[in-house]
């Protein structure tokens, strides 16, 4: 599989629904919602619904990312629902929220995110992927005060680990500070 390959990719947007799709054999993210402040100005997103999709064989099932840039400012992610999806055979994550760049003067905000009623079955990956493998993860890769997570709701997900999955976490939260 081509590791740079995405299935469904959204660069920012408002009032977007991704529903009823089957995405399989994707080298990277099956469903990828992202803002890239340095490359795509005004790529913040809100009112995104990802529901009733099937993902089979991908690095990440659903990945939401945000970013910040000194010229374009922070691109936020808000009002996102990820619900009722079936995600199988992912090596890194079933569903992830991640920010890689931020600013203390204009923090990136993840707000009102709901991850509910999904079925996630992880596939053991190579040692690099297995070290971070999580069914659901929230990850802040920025410094203190550069990213704010608010009103994150994770509930009712059915998580299945394969018998050979190592270092597997059901829900992983990685922050430099509490939210």
């Amino acid at each position: 599989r081509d590791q740079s390959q995405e299935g469904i990719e959204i660069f920012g947007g408002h009032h977007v629904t991704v529903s009823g799709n089957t995405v399989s054999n994707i080298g990277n993210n099956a469903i990828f919602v992202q803002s890239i402040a340095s490359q795509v100005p005004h790529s913040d997103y809100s009112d995104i619904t990802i529901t009733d999709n099937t993902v089979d064989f991908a690095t990440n099932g659903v990945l939401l990312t945000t970013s910040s840039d000194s010229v374009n400012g922070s691109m936020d992610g808000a009002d996102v629902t990820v619900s009722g999806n079936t995600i199988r055979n992912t090596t890194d994550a079933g569903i992830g929220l991640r920010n890689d760049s931020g600013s203390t003067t204009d923090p990136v905000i993840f707000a009102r995110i709901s991850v509910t009623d999904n079925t996630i079955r992880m596939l053991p990956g190579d040692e690099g992927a297995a070290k971070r493998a999580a069914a659901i993860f929230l990850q802040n890769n920025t410094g203190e005060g550069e990213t704010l997570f608010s009103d994150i709701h994770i509930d009712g997900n059915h998580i299945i680990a394969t018998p050979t999955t190592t270092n597997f976490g059901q829900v992983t939260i990685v922050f430099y500070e509490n939210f």
Side-chain angles (χ1 to χ4, degrees), residues 28 34 36 61 64 95 103 128 131 158 162:
N28 203 13
Q34 66 176 322
I36 303 179
L64 310 172
I95 300 169
S103 162
K131 289 179 184 174
H158 184 68
T162 58

Side-chain angles (χ1 to χ4, degrees), residues 2 24 36 43 46 57 120 129 167:
D2 178 355
S24 57
I36 303 179
S43 61
S46 67
F57 288 104
I120 302 168
N167 299 320

Side-chain angles (χ1 to χ4, degrees), residues 24-110:
S24 57
N25 297 313
I26 296 299
N28 203 13
N29 304 299
I31 301 171
F32 191 22
V33 180
Q34 66 176 322
S35 68
I36 303 179
S38 63
Q39 298 174 17
V40 185
H42 312 293
S43 61
D44 57 317
Y45 53 88
S46 67
D47 191 19
I48 306 289
T49 301
I50 301 169
T51 186
D52 299 322
N53 298 287
T54 300
V55 170
D56 198 10
F57 288 104
T59 300
N60 295 296
V62 176
L63 182 62
L64 310 172
T65 67
T66 57
S67 64
S68 178
D69 175 73
S70 60
V71 174
N72 296 311
S74 292
M75 303 292 129
D76 301 330
D79 302 307
V80 178
T81 299
V82 180
S83 182
N85 299 287
T86 300
I87 300 170
R88 297 183 298 253
N89 301 315
T90 57
T91 56
D92 201 358
I95 300 169
L97 284 75
R98 184 184 73 217
N99 183 44
D100 291 319
S101 60
S103 162
T104 55
T105 57
D106 184 19
V108 172
I109 298 171
F110 265 120

Side-chain angles (χ1 to χ4, degrees), residues 141-171:
N141 287 338
T142 65
E144 185 175 335
E146 295 180 2
T147 303
L148 304 174
F149 287 81
S150 164
D151 195 14
I152 309 295
H153 178 77
I154 300 172
D155 187 47
N157 297 286
H158 184 68
I159 299 169
I160 305 161
T162 58
T164 58
T165 303
T166 59
N167 299 320
F168 175 77
Q170 290 190 0
V171 178

